[in-house]
Amino acid sequence: MSRKDASIETTCPYCGVGCGVTTSLDDDRLIAVSGTRSHPANFGKLCVKGSNLPVSLCEDDRLLHPLVDGIAQNWETALSTAAERLKSIIAQHGPEAVAVYASGQLLTEDYYVANKFVKGALGHAQIDTNSRLCMASAVSSYKRSLGADAVPTCYDDLEEAGLILMVGSNAAWAHPILYNRMMQARRRLGTRIVVIDPRETASCAIADLHLPLRPGSDAALFNFLLRSVANSGALDENFITRHTEGFEKALLACRDWDLKRTAEATDLSLEALSK
């Protein structure tokens, strides 16, 4: 059943912020979008990506039929041709001559089917997705440091923070709505913002301090920061006792990371590190 003059609330798919989107449909065709005012992620705001959803979903410039050698074909012909050519490549060069790189926007069930297809039908394990490329390091870090692949914070925390560290993040481009909330917090509370990134990105525009460290030297910098916080007596001992394990070992591991050694390892100046 088609929907005419319908309005449906959904979520923008473009990034991890999860902005609420209110769509306007005319005979099942998306004609307009707006930010959902009651949504706790964006409160009615949309960035340029979300606000242009009708353009990206427009049929005018989209491929509506499968093509085989540039010629429109029905699905049966297209799938049969693809299967035959894959079989030919595997027969000639072996199963490892074919690899699959999947989208980061697939659902869990889609990943499952894709893995079954590659490993069961094609006969190899050469499948990867943007999900792993994008998040594998974060998942590993969360599990090792927190015990689970979960981010222990919420957007409201950013609006109450006295200090925000942006490490390798260019939120101004990648997550504009969240970046906007940081800017609002800065105007309202005077929140100090530090960007730790080898690149000078658009996010540096609101930074009180940009630390363009040498790529791969993040651990050295954070060892130094932990040592500095401990030496200044600013550790929250109550929180550490209740929520951490092995903290003493962490302090021992960073004890030799003084100002000079850290500056040499990160290519940052002594002045910048002292700030």
Side-chain angles (χ1 to χ4, degrees), residues 5 28 35-36 54 88 137-138 142 148 167 180 182 201 205 228 235:
D5 298 329
D28 274 346
T36 305
S88 175
S137 58
Y142 288 141
V167 185
N180 182 263
M182 294 181 198
T201 66
S228 299
L235 292 175

Side-chain angles (χ1 to χ4, degrees), residues 94-126:
E96 293 189 353
V98 177
V100 172
Y101 188 71
S103 167
Q105 303 299 323
L106 297 181
L107 301 178
T108 301
E109 294 80 4
D110 300 328
Y111 288 128
Y112 177 83
V113 174
N115 270 274
K116 285 293 185 183
F117 167 70
V118 173
K119 296 171 183 177
L122 299 184
H124 65 75
Q126 292 185 171

Side-chain angles (χ1 to χ4, degrees), residues 128-149:
D128 208 345
T129 75
N130 182 57
S131 305
R132 193 177 76 84
L133 175 67
C134 178
M135 292 301 298
S137 58
V139 169
S140 177
S141 299
Y142 288 141
K143 285 186 175 180
R144 291 182 64 185
S145 61
L146 304 174
D149 176 20

Side-chain angles (χ1 to χ4, degrees), residues 17-244:
V17 174
C19 292
V21 177
T22 301
T23 65
S24 297
L25 302 176
D26 182 9
D27 196 20
D28 274 346
R29 183 184 178 90
L30 180 64
I31 58 174
V33 297
S34 61
T36 305
R37 294 185 180 276
S38 60
H39 198 280
N42 57 316
F43 300 108
K45 294 184 174 65
L46 287 178
C47 75
V48 65
K49 292 176 283 187
S51 59
N52 277 284
L53 280 168
V55 177
S56 61
L57 294 176
C58 178
E59 293 182 1
D60 298 340
D61 296 320
R62 296 176 70 87
L63 186 63
L64 301 180
H65 308 281
L67 300 180
V68 177
D69 297 329
I71 301 173
Q73 300 284 359
N74 58 43
W75 277 107
E76 183 178 353
T77 300
L79 290 172
S80 297
T81 302
E84 290 169 2
R85 293 184 181 180
L86 282 172
K87 287 172 63 178
S88 175
I89 292 171
I90 292 171
Q92 184 176 356
H93 302 287
E96 293 189 353
V98 177
V100 172
Y101 188 71
S103 167
Q105 303 299 323
L106 297 181
L107 301 178
T108 301
E109 294 80 4
D110 300 328
Y111 288 128
Y112 177 83
V113 174
N115 270 274
K116 285 293 185 183
F117 167 70
V118 173
K119 296 171 183 177
L122 299 184
H124 65 75
Q126 292 185 171
I127 177 172
D128 208 345
T129 75
N130 182 57
S131 305
R132 193 177 76 84
L133 175 67
C134 178
M135 292 301 298
S137 58
V139 169
S140 177
S141 299
Y142 288 141
K143 285 186 175 180
R144 291 182 64 185
S145 61
L146 304 174
D149 176 20
V151 184
T153 188
C154 63
Y155 296 157
D156 291 343
D157 291 342
L158 295 174
E159 296 174 343
E160 301 297 329
L163 170 67
I164 296 176
L165 296 180
M166 300 174 64
V167 185
S169 165
N170 184 16
W173 282 10
H175 308 108
I177 296 300
L178 202 57
Y179 182 75
N180 182 263
R181 293 183 67 165
M182 294 181 198
M183 290 194 295
Q184 290 179 343
R186 192 173 191 276
R187 286 193 291 265
R188 183 170 58 87
L189 298 176
T191 301
R192 188 165 188 250
I193 296 178
V194 177
V195 174
I196 301 174
D197 197 321
R199 309 163 299 171
E200 184 172 355
T201 66
S203 297
C204 295
I206 63 169
D208 297 280
L209 176 64
H210 173 215
L211 296 176
L213 75 175
R214 179 194 302 170
S217 64
D218 304 60
L221 177 60
F222 281 103
N223 279 333
F224 167 73
L225 292 176
L226 178 57
R227 178 181 185 271
S228 299
V229 172
N231 289 345
S232 68
L235 292 175
D236 187 338
E237 299 290 351
N238 187 33
F239 179 89
I240 291 170
T241 301
R242 289 186 292 119
H243 297 293
T244 69

